[in-house]
């Protein structure tokens, strides 16, 4: 889970935080107090767009698999 940005936390490369409703990822190890927005923040932080997970069975709506496995007909070959 991505936590809110905190001024007393040092962020390691790849760690993410939320600031002002956006998600940011540290490009490399950062010292505490470096905000993800403001002057020269693009050098240290990368804005990350998150894709919300969807239901796994959306593409199979209305069809039930009897054995739990997705099968494909090979009769057309």
């Amino acid at each position: 889970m991505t936590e809110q940005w905190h001024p007393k936390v040092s962020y390691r490369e790849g760690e993410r935080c939320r600031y002002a409703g956006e998600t940011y990822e540290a490009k490399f190890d950062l010292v505490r107090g470096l905000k993800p927005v403001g002057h020269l923040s693009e050098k240290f932080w990368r804005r990350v767009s998150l894709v919300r997970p969807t239901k796994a069975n959306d593409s199979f709506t209305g069809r039930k698999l009897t054995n739990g496995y997705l099968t494909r007909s090979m009769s057309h070959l």
Side-chain angles (χ1 to χ4, degrees), residues 1-69:
M1 186 84 186
T2 305
E3 308 227 353
Q4 284 294 114
W5 178 82
H6 194 277
K8 295 184 179 180
V9 173
S10 296
Y11 291 93
R12 300 189 71 100
E13 180 180 358
E15 280 189 313
R16 295 181 177 186
C17 70
R18 292 193 54 78
Y19 186 82
E22 297 285 334
T23 303
Y24 294 91
E25 181 178 272
K27 290 185 178 180
F28 43 86
D29 293 351
L30 302 173
V31 297
R32 62 180 97 172
L34 190 60
K35 288 184 181 181
V37 294
H39 184 64
L40 299 177
S41 65
E42 305 86 35
K43 290 185 176 185
F44 308 109
W45 293 95
R46 172 185 309 118
R47 185 180 301 168
V48 180
S49 59
L50 297 177
V51 177
R52 300 278 181 213
T54 60
K55 288 177 57 180
N57 293 334
D58 279 350
S59 61
F60 300 109
T61 304
R63 292 188 286 165
K64 283 196 169 185
L65 300 175
T66 56
N67 60 0
Y69 292 98

